[in-house]
Amino acid sequence: MKSDRGLPVAIIGGGFSGTMLAAQLARRGIASVLIDGSGRMGRGVAYSTTEGAHLLNVRTEEMSAWSGESEHFARSFAPGDHDPRGFAERRQFGRYLGTILDEAVASGKATPVQASAIGAARSGPGWRVDLDTGESVEAAAVALALGNQQPEALRALAGAGPRFIADPWAADSRAAVADLARTGEAALLVGTGLTMVDLVLSLNSAGHRGHIVALSRRGLVPRSHADVDPAPVEREAIPFGNLRGLVRWIRLTSAQVGWRAAIDSLRPHSQPLWQSLGNDQQRRFLRHARPWWDVHRHRIAPEVGHLIAQLVGEGRLQIIAGRITGASASGLGLDIAFQRRGEGTVRTESFAYAFNCTGPLHLIARTRDRLLRSLLDSGEIRPDGLGIGLDVDGQARAGARLWALGPLTKGRYWEIVAVPDIREQAAAVAKDIETELGR
């Protein structure tokens, strides 16, 4: 059997999850290779934006990348440069994260590899990871830190042609935003969540002054943060294992302390609370309550909320609850047929572009990522019981010497898509890897 002594840990994905795992391992003296072919090494999709209008959705004081060092990000600003209670630009956090990666690389314990992993197979006690360059990496262990998967294809827009932007973070999306800013034509955003907010900010910053329609089944838009008095709650006061009881508890507590404080009070308990529900109640939550939870739990900076409200008030942004029934290319644009919620009439409007803002892929089995596809097909990994992520144990292990981090583990942890949660997971996984490898 081949020895793995001296082999690095292969981390697939160079966003926040992967970068912080590499940094945590470096602190423990464990070598890693950080594999990412997206061009966003050390930043990922969320923090690779160059637009000042894109703000963090979490206050600066809560955005430390390091577990146990709560002021680490806030200290990265010169005194007086930024209010710790405010919301910094995402590009500032991207630079901060890049600095952490640079330090890990300088330590000699982290090696960035600018390539995409397309497959992985067991090699002795460890792994061989195949890259799109034709090369491969031998590793003692593998950690999957691929973040959110690309949005699912929208069947209703299958005939829309090139004016439908399937991935709002791709290069053709940036080109479409620039074209809309130049022409002032109308845009359709399919989805009304955080991705929609980002795209509206991009359009507005680029100088677009035309009409924007944002459409989703319920027409729910993320709520804004506000300064509220914390209302901590003891675990014993929360109805664990009872979804209906939890909904009643939130309503009652919201009436007493406000909905923001009520939702925030659940944060320290969110992962065990989620796990206490079991698959049946979790499925009910995803089917009926998730849209409302998302817009209340994952809030936007107050200044962003004010701008969205202003654009709605001016008529430049229209939020519609409804569904698309058809789409076709028409001249230099799109004809979109849609039906408002509660109406029987189908309307048709023309747009220069339509963007898929429905958010990340909901079913992991439909991923188009080549590495995940190969691991799923070989049976090395499998979907969780809900199908929304990978099946992992309490140490985030997806298999022998195989870990997963971040959104890939949301089926088990649910609240695992934001920095405050993932930084703790990265620290815990690094510790578990250290134990497993006997370093």
Side-chain angles (χ1 to χ4, degrees):
M1 181 175 289
K2 185 189 304 181
S3 170
D4 66 347
R5 184 177 298 278
L7 292 179
V9 176
I11 304 170
I12 317 300
F16 180 79
S17 303
T19 295
M20 286 314 300
L21 179 58
Q24 287 281 0
L25 289 173
R27 281 192 171 185
R28 289 166 168 79
I30 299 173
S32 67
V33 289
L34 187 60
I35 301 170
D36 190 303
S38 70
R40 302 182 179 113
M41 181 81 74
R43 295 166 295 147
V45 172
Y47 309 116
S48 62
T49 179
T50 60
E51 296 184 25
H54 289 162
L55 303 183
L56 295 172
N57 296 322
V58 178
R59 298 183 192 276
T60 297
E61 64 184 2
E62 301 172 29
M63 284 292 289
S64 171
W66 290 102
S67 174
E69 300 178 36
S70 61
E71 297 181 358
H72 194 265
F73 177 53
R75 288 200 307 269
S76 70
F77 293 91
D81 275 2
H82 191 76
D83 177 10
R85 292 284 296 165
F87 298 82
E89 295 176 4
R90 291 218 302 262
R91 62 185 180 183
Q92 291 174 311
F93 191 83
R95 290 193 289 267
Y96 162 74
L97 194 57
T99 298
I100 291 175
L101 178 57
D102 290 342
E103 292 171 352
V105 171
S107 75
K109 292 299 181 181
T111 302
V113 175
Q114 302 282 350
S116 295
I118 59 173
R122 296 198 177 273
S123 177
W127 289 85
R128 186 195 73 248
V129 179
D130 298 323
L131 309 179
D132 62 352
T133 59
E135 301 171 300
S136 63
V137 172
E138 293 286 336
V142 168
L144 304 173
L146 289 158
N148 287 310
Q149 297 296 288
Q150 290 184 3
E152 189 161 2
L154 300 180
R155 289 195 296 270
L157 283 94
R163 289 285 179 131
F164 171 58
I165 309 300
D167 183 354
W169 304 112
D172 59 346
S173 179
R174 293 190 293 274
V177 167
D179 191 37
L180 286 164
R182 180 180 58 83
T183 64
E185 293 178 294
L188 173 67
L189 313 186
V190 185
T192 57
L194 292 174
T195 305
M196 177 277 291
V197 171
D198 275 351
L199 201 51
V200 169
L201 294 174
S202 294
L203 286 164
N204 187 65
S205 295
H208 178 257
R209 297 297 178 263
H211 190 50
I212 303 171
V213 172
L215 181 148
S216 68
R217 284 192 299 166
R218 297 175 178 84
L220 297 173
V221 178
R223 274 43 170 183
S224 297
H225 283 278
D227 284 319
V228 297
D229 292 329
V233 60
E234 295 297 327
R235 179 188 175 104
E236 293 73 21
I238 303 171
F240 277 75
N242 185 340
L243 182 58
R244 288 184 181 275
L246 179 61
V247 171
R248 288 194 296 270
W249 183 92
I250 291 174
R251 287 173 175 165
L252 177 61
T253 307
S254 296
Q256 295 170 342
V257 300
W259 68 262
R260 290 178 176 85
I263 294 293
D264 291 347
S265 72
L266 293 175
R267 183 170 185 111
H269 314 287
S270 59
Q271 291 183 1
L273 179 58
W274 173 253
Q275 291 162 8
S276 76
L277 295 177
N279 269 10
D280 288 345
Q281 292 191 86
Q282 288 171 351
R283 289 184 186 280
R284 286 171 51 204
F285 173 88
L286 293 175
R287 188 164 55 249
H288 300 297
R290 179 178 183 173
W292 281 272
W293 174 262
D294 283 348
V295 299
H296 288 87
R297 172 67 185 85
H298 302 292
R299 304 194 283 273
I300 54 180
E303 48 265 62
V304 173
H306 292 155
L307 177 60
I308 296 297
Q310 176 185 330
L311 296 179
V312 170
E314 293 174 355
R316 288 172 52 196
L317 173 62
Q318 184 180 11
I319 308 294
I320 294 177
R323 65 184 183 90
I324 295 174
T325 60
S328 60
S330 174
L332 295 179
L334 299 165
D335 288 338
I336 306 292
F338 64 93
Q339 189 174 24
R340 287 178 179 267
R341 188 165 187 163
E343 290 186 3
T345 304
V346 174
R347 308 168 183 234
T348 300
E349 291 189 18
S350 297
F351 300 91
Y353 291 92
F355 299 80
N356 184 356
C357 296
T358 55
L361 182 70
H362 298 302
L363 295 174
I364 196 67
R366 297 179 182 174
T367 180
R368 287 167 284 176
D369 182 88
R370 293 175 69 182
L371 174 67
L372 290 180
R373 186 77 271 146
S374 74
L375 290 170
L376 285 165
D377 292 345
S378 67
E380 291 288 0
I381 59 175
R382 60 181 180 271
D384 58 51
L386 300 170
I388 61 176
L390 300 182
D391 185 26
V392 296
D393 66 13
Q395 284 73 47
R397 294 190 183 204
R401 294 201 172 187
L402 177 64
W403 286 261
L405 291 87
L408 289 176
T409 64
K410 60 189 174 184
R412 181 176 185 89
Y413 299 108
W414 185 242
E415 290 284 288
I416 198 67
V417 297
V419 164
D421 304 299
I422 298 175
R423 70 178 174 222
E424 304 301 325
Q425 186 184 45
V429 168
K431 183 178 180 180
D432 194 42
I433 290 175
E434 182 179 33
T435 301
E436 171 68 21
L437 299 184
R439 303 292 174 88

